[in-house]
Each structure stands twice: as structure tokens, then as C-alpha cells.
Amino acid sequence: MKTIKTADCVSAYNILKDSSLGKMSGADKINVIKTIKSIKGVAEDFIAFRTDASERLRGDNHDEMTAKATKWQTDGDDALTYDEKVAVNGYFNKYGEELKQCVDEELNREHEVDVRTIAEDAFCLLLEANDNLSAEQALSLHDMLVSEETEK
């Protein structure tokens, strides 16, 4: 078991769920699959939480503000009065701040998850099979999947 923040679980899950494991050994594939299974619940719970929070934090005039923002974006600066622009910006700034505060709290929550580590050689095979990963994504996965005992 490893203590991991929600943000790291979501990030790793989003990377691993579509990754290829084809170059890895059977045992290493199983370890990665079991890790995916362990972090999947955390990731899916967060996505549901974020969706629920974004809906519940909407003001009564959300649809009206969205329509005005869309009109402003598609028709240009002359589409809204100065006061309407101020109201739209104020509404979405407040909404965004409230949502960010709510979501950030959840992203920093820690979870005990069953991470099955793999050797660094196996991690290299994972990277070879998924050469579209950025260095940041690779580092994030490395921190989660490779145990300190197996690093060279």
C-alpha cells in the first residue's frame, strides 16, 4: 500500500488506462493492471465529484451568463454592453474561484492504494511501448510504479 494524492491517482490513471503493455513480461503487465484497478476508483470518484461540484456551484443565472459569454465570444466586443461584460466576467470569476477551491481540496486528499511496483527495466519497456508520453508523464509514472529498490 502506498499513500498517494488524488491528483496523482487521476494523472496516472489517465495515462495508464490507454497505455500499451505489449513489450512487458506477463508478471509486470499484471502488476500494472492491478495498479490501474487500484487507482481507477479514486480517479472515477474524483471525476464524479468534480462534475457534481461544477453543477452545484452554478448560480441561478448560470445559463443566462453562459449564453451572454457565448454571444460575446462569437459576435465580438460589440455584442454586449460594458455592464453585461462586467457581470459575465464577475460571475465566471467567482464561479471559477469557488470551483477551484472545492476541487483543489479534493485533489490534495490522500488515499491508500495498492500500487504494484515494477523494476526499472520493465518501466523502460513500458516507455518504449508508449513513446508518445511526455517527459512529465513518464516522470509521474516512474514515481508511482518503480520501487526505490529496483532503481539502478
Side-chain angles (χ1 to χ4, degrees), residues 19-72:
S19 65
S20 171
L21 308 178
K23 294 188 177 194
M24 301 171 75
S25 74
D28 289 325
K29 287 177 187 178
I30 296 298
N31 283 341
V32 172
I33 290 167
K34 287 184 177 184
T35 297
I36 293 169
K37 182 180 178 186
S38 180
I39 62 177
K40 180 180 181 178
V42 174
E44 289 180 344
D45 286 351
F46 172 75
I47 291 165
F49 172 82
R50 184 182 59 203
T51 300
D52 188 46
S54 72
E55 291 172 4
R56 291 180 184 272
L57 291 173
R58 290 179 181 168
D60 293 338
N61 60 342
H62 186 82
D63 292 338
E64 175 190 351
M65 290 291 132
T66 300
K68 285 184 179 186
T70 302
K71 182 178 180 182
W72 185 6

Side-chain angles (χ1 to χ4, degrees), residues 5-23:
K5 290 184 178 184
T6 301
D8 296 328
C9 287
V10 171
S11 175
Y13 177 71
N14 285 333
I15 297 167
L16 289 172
K17 70 179 181 177
D18 296 322
S19 65
S20 171
L21 308 178
K23 294 188 177 194

Side-chain angles (χ1 to χ4, degrees), residues 72-135:
W72 185 6
Q73 188 174 27
T74 56
D75 297 347
D77 274 347
D78 295 335
L80 300 180
T81 67
Y82 175 79
D83 289 341
E84 288 175 317
K85 291 175 191 175
V86 169
V88 167
N89 280 333
Y91 172 80
F92 282 107
N93 285 341
K94 181 181 178 207
Y95 172 73
E97 288 171 15
E98 290 174 350
L99 184 59
K100 182 182 180 329
Q101 181 181 4
C102 185
V103 167
D104 282 353
E105 245 177 68
E106 188 64 22
L107 284 172
N108 288 311
R109 201 168 113 220
E110 294 184 336
H111 305 269
E112 288 293 318
V113 292
D114 185 17
V115 173
R116 304 291 178 100
T117 58
I118 58 176
E120 193 155 287
D121 290 345
F123 183 74
C124 289
L125 293 173
L126 178 66
L127 292 181
E128 284 178 25
N130 299 280
D131 60 0
N132 60 327
L133 295 180
S134 70

